[in-house]
Amino acid sequence: MKAEIKPRIELQGRTRLEEVIPLATPFMIFLDPSSACNFQCRFCPTGNRELIRRTGRFQGLLDYDLCRKIVDDLGQFDKKIKVLRMYKDGEPLLNPKFPEMVAYAKQSGHAERVDTTTNAALLNPELNLRLVGAGLDRLNVSIAGITDEKYLEFCGSKIELKKIAANLRHFYQHRGSCEVVVKTIAENIRESEHRKFYEMFGDIADRIFIEHMAPCWPEFDYSGLNADFSVGIYGNEVSETKACPYVFYSISVNSDGTVSACFLDWERRLIVGDARRQSLREIWEGEAMRKMRIMMLEFRRDAHPVCRNCGQLTNCRPDNIDAYAETLLGKIKKRNDGGLNL
C-alpha cells in the first residue's frame, strides 16, 4: 500500500495557539461552493432535506463573482492565510464553476494552500484534469462504505463504488503535486472489511484513515445511527473543554455570502457578518467575533444556545487553550498597537 495511514488533520507539530492569539490573519477560512449535496447521509444535517427546508437556509451555489470578491478580500490581511478550505456544508463539485474558483484562489497568492472535501461521486477524467490544472493542493475524499448497498443505506444514493474508485485512481495518477487523502467511517465497515478498504484505496491516496463518527453538528439528532461516541474521531480520548479554539483561528463563508463564526453552523445561528457587504478582515476584526472570543475565554460556552451542545469540542478538538484563558482574555480585551480590537 502506497498511502500512509494518517488522519487528514495534522495532530503533531501544531502551532500553539496560546503563543499567537490574537491573530491578525486567520489561519484558515472555509468558503462553501455549494450548500446543497447530491447525497443524503444520515449523520449530516444537509442530507436531511426536510430539516434544512425548515431552517430556511439557503440551498444553492456560491456565485463566481462573489467568490472572486471573497478571495480578493484575503489580500487585505497582513499575510497569507494558511488554508483556504473550499468546502463547508455541501458537495463542492456540484458547482460547475468550482475549478475556476480554485484557479482564481491559487492565482491570487493569498493562501498557502487551497483544498476541498468531496464525496467523489462526481469526479470524472475531464473534471479531474481541470481541478489539477487549477492548482488544487489537496483533495480530501470521504468514502461512506465499501459496498454499493452501504451507500444506499447510509447516503440514500445509488452509486457504483467501483466507478468512484476508478475516477479517483485517474485523479491520483494525474494529481501532480495535489495531495489525495481518503477516509471512511469505522461505524460503516466491519473490522473484517478494513483490509478491503485499504486494498481499494490504499494505492490511490497519499494518506488513508478510518475515522470514528462524531457528534459534531450542534442541535442535530444522531439517534438511530448506532454510533459509539465514547471514542474520539481519530481514536483519541473524549474530553471536555470550556473554550472553543476554532473561533480564534478560523471563520466560515457560507454559499450565500453570509459569514459564520463556526464551520459547523449548519442552521446559520452563528452569523457574524456578510461578505457581500463587508470585507473578511472587517468581519474577522469585528465586534461579533470579538464577543464570541471573549465568551469562550470567560468560560460561558455552556450558556450559549448553540455552542453548549457542540460535540466537536469533545470528540474532534485537536487544541486546548483552557489553561491560558485568563492571559488570552487580557490580550483580546486590550487594544493592540495597531488600534484594532481583535
Side-chain angles (χ1 to χ4, degrees), residues 17-157:
L17 294 177
E18 67 272 13
E19 297 176 359
V20 296
I21 293 173
L23 287 168
T25 302
F27 285 164
M28 177 181 293
I29 289 178
F30 290 79
L31 176 57
D32 200 7
S34 169
S35 57
C37 189
N38 53 327
F39 281 6
Q40 299 181 65
C41 298
R42 295 170 58 201
F43 73 101
C44 176
T46 298
N48 189 327
R49 293 170 184 173
E50 177 56 33
L51 176 66
I52 295 300
R53 276 194 291 270
R54 291 202 299 267
T55 68
R57 187 182 96 180
F58 171 75
Q59 282 290 83
L61 307 178
L62 175 67
D63 178 76
Y64 179 62
D65 289 336
L66 178 57
C67 176
R68 289 177 44 168
K69 185 266 181 191
I70 292 164
V71 170
D72 291 344
D73 279 358
L74 300 181
Q76 297 180 16
F77 288 111
D78 294 347
K79 53 187 177 182
K80 293 182 180 181
I81 65 170
K82 292 182 180 294
V83 181
L84 177 61
R85 180 143 296 158
M86 301 191 75
Y87 162 77
K88 182 177 178 284
D89 293 309
E91 171 51 54
L93 301 187
L94 282 174
N95 195 318
K97 300 290 287 185
F98 183 62
E100 286 86 348
M101 292 175 175
V102 172
Y104 191 84
K106 284 297 296 180
Q107 291 163 13
S108 75
H110 298 326
E112 293 179 11
R113 189 176 87 210
V114 177
D115 69 19
T116 194
T117 297
T118 175
N119 58 42
L122 298 176
L123 286 179
N124 59 66
E126 179 185 358
L127 180 56
N128 292 345
L129 297 179
R130 291 175 65 199
L131 291 171
V132 172
L136 187 68
D137 293 299
R138 179 188 280 186
L139 184 77
N140 297 301
V141 178
S142 296
I143 298 297
I146 58 169
T147 66
D148 295 359
E149 292 74 22
K150 176 57 69 173
Y151 266 86
L152 184 59
E153 173 195 342
F154 192 73
C155 304
S157 302

Side-chain angles (χ1 to χ4, degrees), residues 217-252:
W217 305 104
E219 300 290 292
F220 182 67
D221 183 8
Y222 289 91
S223 61
L225 288 178
N226 194 32
D228 179 8
F229 294 143
S230 66
V231 61
I233 189 171
Y234 306 116
N236 53 295
E237 181 181 352
V238 172
S239 61
E240 294 289 339
T241 187
K242 296 179 180 179
C244 170
Y246 294 103
V247 295
F248 294 92
Y249 69 83
S250 67
I251 203 167
S252 302

Side-chain angles (χ1 to χ4, degrees), residues 117-332:
T117 297
T118 175
N119 58 42
L122 298 176
L123 286 179
N124 59 66
E126 179 185 358
L127 180 56
N128 292 345
L129 297 179
R130 291 175 65 199
L131 291 171
V132 172
L136 187 68
D137 293 299
R138 179 188 280 186
L139 184 77
N140 297 301
V141 178
S142 296
I143 298 297
I146 58 169
T147 66
D148 295 359
E149 292 74 22
K150 176 57 69 173
Y151 266 86
L152 184 59
E153 173 195 342
F154 192 73
C155 304
S157 302
K158 296 186 74 171
I159 59 95
E160 294 182 47
L161 186 56
K162 289 183 179 179
K163 185 176 180 181
I164 290 179
N167 284 324
L168 185 57
R169 180 177 298 278
H170 178 273
F171 186 99
Y172 183 79
Q173 292 171 341
H174 297 83
R175 71 192 186 284
S177 59
C178 181
E179 184 181 21
V180 177
V181 181
V182 175
K183 64 94 172 178
T184 194
I185 305 170
E187 286 79 358
N188 274 5
I189 63 172
R190 294 185 293 271
E191 190 170 346
S192 60
E193 296 175 319
H194 287 193
R195 180 177 178 180
K196 182 177 179 181
F197 170 67
Y198 290 132
E199 288 176 348
M200 289 182 71
F201 297 100
D203 286 333
I204 54 176
D206 300 296
R207 294 189 190 187
I208 193 167
F209 202 75
I210 300 174
E211 298 179 355
H212 290 274
M213 198 178 296
C216 54
W217 305 104
E219 300 290 292
F220 182 67
D221 183 8
Y222 289 91
S223 61
L225 288 178
N226 194 32
D228 179 8
F229 294 143
S230 66
V231 61
I233 189 171
Y234 306 116
N236 53 295
E237 181 181 352
V238 172
S239 61
E240 294 289 339
T241 187
K242 296 179 180 179
C244 170
Y246 294 103
V247 295
F248 294 92
Y249 69 83
S250 67
I251 203 167
S252 302
V253 186
N254 301 308
S255 58
D256 62 352
T258 57
V259 179
S260 294
C262 175
F263 63 100
L264 296 169
D265 184 26
W266 65 274
E267 289 185 281
R268 307 297 187 263
R269 295 175 63 189
L270 299 173
I271 300 298
V272 293
D274 192 329
R276 294 167 293 190
R277 302 174 181 86
Q278 300 168 277
S279 71
L280 287 187
R281 181 167 183 169
E282 181 183 356
I283 298 169
W284 178 251
E285 297 172 351
E287 188 64 14
M289 284 299 294
R290 181 173 180 270
K291 287 181 178 178
M292 178 71 71
R293 294 169 186 138
I294 289 175
M295 177 193 73
M296 294 299 173
L297 295 175
E298 289 181 342
F299 295 160
R300 291 185 285 112
R301 179 174 70 85
D302 285 348
H304 193 279
V306 176
C307 298
R308 67 187 178 196
N309 296 314
C310 182
Q312 180 77 12
L313 298 183
T314 56
N315 290 56
C316 312
R317 166 192 45 79
D319 307 294
N320 191 336
I321 58 174
D322 284 2
Y324 311 94
E326 185 176 355
T327 299
L328 295 176
L329 183 61
K331 292 181 179 180
I332 293 292

